[in-house]
Amino acid sequence: MTPDGVSVAVLAAHATAVDLCLLDPAPDGSLTERRVPLDGPSFGVWHAHVPGVRPGQRYGFRTHGVWDPAAGLRHNPAKLLVDPYARGLVGRVDLDGAVSGGAPDEPFGHADPLDSAPHVPHSVVVDVDGLRARTPDPRANRPYVPWRDTVVYEAHVRGLTMLHPHVPEDLRGTYAALAHPAVVGHLTSLGVTAIELLPVHAKSDEPHLVTKGLTNYWGYNTLGFFAPEPSYATRAAQDAGPGAVLDEVRSAVHALHEAGIEVLLDVVYNHTCEGGVDGPHLSWRGLDSTGYYRHDGNVPAQLVDTTGTGNTLDFRRPRVVQFALDSLRYWADVVGVDGFRFDLAVTLGRGSDGFDADHPFLVGLQADPALANLKLVAEPWDVGPGGWRTGQFPAPLAEWNDRFRDAARQFWLADVARLQRGGPDPGHDGVRDLATRLAGSADLFGHGDPPLARGPVASVNFVTAHDGFTLRDLVTYDHKHNEANGEEGRDGSGDNRSWNHGIEGPGNAGDTATARVAALRARSVRNLLATLLLSAGTPMLTAGDELGRTQGGNNNAYCQDDATSWVDWDLAPWQRELLDSTRALLALRREHPALTVDAFYRGTPLPGDAPSQPDLAWYDAAGEPFTHDDWHDPEARTLQMMRRTPVAGSSHVLVVLNGALSPMEVALAGRGNTDRRWRRVWGSTSGTRAMVEHPDREPGERVLLDALAVVVYLAAPRG
């Protein structure tokens, strides 16, 4: 905005003319429209200064030019287009209206002449500078939590608070609810340092979901990369307009910062909500389809799809790279968020010859001063050729570590299920892969120049995420149960590495067998939590896992905006015990520096220590160092991990894991590596800090370790 109006610019490189359309709704629902021809193009950009335009003004664009879908050109002035840089949107896409650019069911046919303006969202002018001048700046109180101390909590704005009994009903499911003391109190008492929000960019629902009466609950279907999703705002903010919605988002971020909690956004720059060639004609498709979207170069021009959604934004194009970086800077500078998780990030680094770690977009992330010191996290895969790239992104990006997820599930669930059933050994590697993940996945994240520079914190460790089973469902179902999605079970992953512990589903309340299975399931959950929260790296919890949330076996609840996906805060006693267990594990992590390292272990002595005292050491059940043969024994199921740190006065940590089906006598590790005594502080059989006193033990003393259990010991300095 300018003091007397607005300056307008929009990319439409192949258009012959572009109109700015100023819209004013009448009381009867009709629209009056004033069209302002733009000047240009200047390097593909159309522009003008328009006096008299004030905050709250609705607008859009119409493009004139060639309609030749076979060549990728889709200019149709009958279609009102959303500004890709709009700071606010009002209205929803009416898929029953005239929102297709071409004739219905003819994506390569003639242009559709029906006006789409009544059926599409409208861009809205927002006085961003005025809002910033009047309200607290969420950048001013950023916590800047070091990576080594970071604990990420992945949550959905609606799902986290829709059922919270202490949040007022008019706030539930909103940005404002995130800042409510009951929600903030839960996060801080848990030990969370960063909340990672599923997409909050303005979105639209896919046509196939609308047909089924469903919605895109997760939000990975973006319509506005600069505009907050208005439906997540309170009714009062929605009624007041996009400026109030933006204010609510900024206020929530500021309040979370006050509590020491960072805010990360899950962002989806790899595709848009316009789908394939038969999808709606809403913005980029009508402005410059060949400039924004990746095409295959054939005639007719087909969209390249490395995202599974029908389209892919073309990051070979400088304007697309600029667009994404401009959006990131806006959310960092205006909203004050602390970082981003990039959905299907391999697509963002695809050049003409595939993924490139030196891609201009990735270089931009590293070099942009506006993004310096923010947390940047890649989902290191997409669905295109060569799409799995875990460990191959450049610093300072961290990455979701799917190998951690798979190793933890394999060891504690899939392998145990096989042992229980007496099945053949499928060739898994005992404890070797799990130990690599516990130590920070140097095999994945230790490469680079110089080597080991990224450290274990580059590994965002997780056992569950929004996509897949919840932690409770991992131990309750062998198979996905996605019937409510209306796709006859075809959707969702079939590789879950889950284990129902002998009963598919929750079982019959009060049944003896069900009670026995429930106890074993609770132990398995605690084993997985301990593996996650005691490993080197950056742990990520999925909202509700600490409470035993279930989705009834649905492992792809992207379209379930109901109790299936919402966090249920009405807790049974076992769920309260699980919450206590999670708090206890996170307290151990927070209090003991050996559990929060930001450099890879080297297996060498710390400064001033004897040669026999490495920073990380592995032992078998007899308390002897692991040998080469031990590491390659597929039947090895017991492991002791001893960790030391150079921090003065800190404790050594010993994590003992027994993945066998029977109890195991274990000689506690550390002979020759420490002169301290071990004190048991946590065990997965009970799940909280030691409720009974356990005698201190000398290294080499024998203890009986329960079947399928994790026990944690600390050794404080003597004296």
Side-chain angles (χ1 to χ4, degrees), residues 363-416:
V363 172
L365 291 181
Q366 299 172 69
D368 195 315
L371 304 177
N373 299 317
L374 300 188
K375 290 185 167 66
L376 306 175
V377 181
E379 182 185 36
W381 50 80
D382 67 9
V383 300
W388 187 82
R389 297 286 176 167
T390 304
Q392 299 178 39
F393 279 76
L397 273 79
E399 302 174 40
W400 275 24
N401 188 351
D402 54 318
R403 289 280 297 276
F404 183 98
R405 174 200 63 200
D406 293 347
R409 293 185 183 191
Q410 189 69 45
F411 184 84
W412 289 116
L413 300 178
D415 283 350
V416 179

Side-chain angles (χ1 to χ4, degrees), residues 629-671:
D629 289 342
D630 291 331
W631 286 123
H632 291 272
D633 179 0
E635 299 304 319
R637 300 286 299 168
T638 305
L639 178 70
Q640 301 188 69
M641 175 179 66
M642 182 177 170
R643 292 157 65 167
R644 304 158 61 92
T645 173
V647 177
S650 62
S651 296
H652 302 335
V653 177
L654 180 65
V655 180
V656 189
L657 303 90
N658 181 21
L661 296 179
S662 57
M664 179 71 66
E665 188 176 67
V666 173
L668 294 179
R671 285 175 298 185

Side-chain angles (χ1 to χ4, degrees), residues 308-323:
T309 66
N311 69 64
T312 301
L313 284 169
D314 192 349
F315 275 78
R316 297 173 302 179
R317 305 280 188 171
R319 289 297 192 184
V320 173
V321 171
Q322 177 190 12
F323 172 65

Side-chain angles (χ1 to χ4, degrees), residues 200-232:
V200 300
H201 290 168
K203 63 186 176 72
S204 181
D205 297 321
E206 295 92 334
H208 78 275
L209 291 179
V210 174
T211 300
K212 297 172 185 175
L214 299 171
T215 63
N216 188 316
Y217 168 69
W218 285 350
Y220 292 87
N221 209 43
T222 306
L223 177 59
F225 290 94
F226 291 77
E229 169 55 36
S231 68
Y232 297 163

Side-chain angles (χ1 to χ4, degrees), residues 179 215 336 338 449 585 601:
T215 63
D338 305 278
D449 184 17
L585 286 165
Y601 297 103

Side-chain angles (χ1 to χ4, degrees), residues 384-593:
W388 187 82
R389 297 286 176 167
T390 304
Q392 299 178 39
F393 279 76
L397 273 79
E399 302 174 40
W400 275 24
N401 188 351
D402 54 318
R403 289 280 297 276
F404 183 98
R405 174 200 63 200
D406 293 347
R409 293 185 183 191
Q410 189 69 45
F411 184 84
W412 289 116
L413 300 178
D415 283 350
V416 179
R418 173 184 60 84
L419 292 171
Q420 283 273 30
R421 296 163 184 158
D425 178 12
H428 292 296
D429 56 5
V431 297
R432 187 170 75 250
D433 193 29
L434 184 67
T436 304
R437 308 305 145 216
L438 287 166
S441 297
D443 62 327
L444 297 174
F445 301 100
H447 307 290
D449 184 17
L452 306 180
R454 297 176 72 187
V457 293
S459 174
V460 176
N461 300 331
F462 66 104
V463 176
T464 67
H466 66 277
D467 186 3
F469 278 143
T470 67
L471 193 54
R472 177 178 173 182
D473 287 354
L474 266 182
V475 303
T476 307
Y477 298 93
D478 277 357
H479 310 286
K480 61 185 179 182
H481 295 267
N482 296 357
E483 294 78 11
N485 296 354
E487 299 182 42
E488 299 180 351
R490 293 186 299 271
D491 65 306
S493 174
D495 180 19
N496 295 293
R497 308 188 191 205
S498 59
W499 175 34
N500 67 15
H501 292 70
I503 300 174
E504 184 75 359
N508 300 314
D511 180 75
T512 302
T514 298
R516 184 174 63 252
V517 165
L520 185 55
R521 286 173 174 170
R523 184 184 301 188
S524 291
V525 166
R526 290 191 291 265
N527 288 336
L528 289 165
L529 278 172
T531 302
L532 172 64
L533 300 179
L534 301 177
S535 292
T538 304
M540 184 184 78
L541 284 166
T542 303
D545 274 354
E546 76 279 16
L547 308 174
R549 183 177 74 89
T550 179
Q551 293 180 167
N554 192 323
N555 77 345
N556 188 35
Y558 76 105
C559 56
Q560 301 299 322
D561 188 5
D562 56 26
T564 303
S565 300
W566 301 341
V567 175
D568 185 353
W569 298 87
D570 184 14
L571 306 183
W574 71 267
Q575 292 173 291
R576 296 186 183 280
E577 292 172 359
L578 176 59
L579 176 58
D580 289 342
S581 295
T582 311
R583 286 171 172 159
L585 286 165
L586 282 170
L588 284 172
R589 182 181 183 89
R590 184 170 59 250
E591 294 165 4
H592 298 287

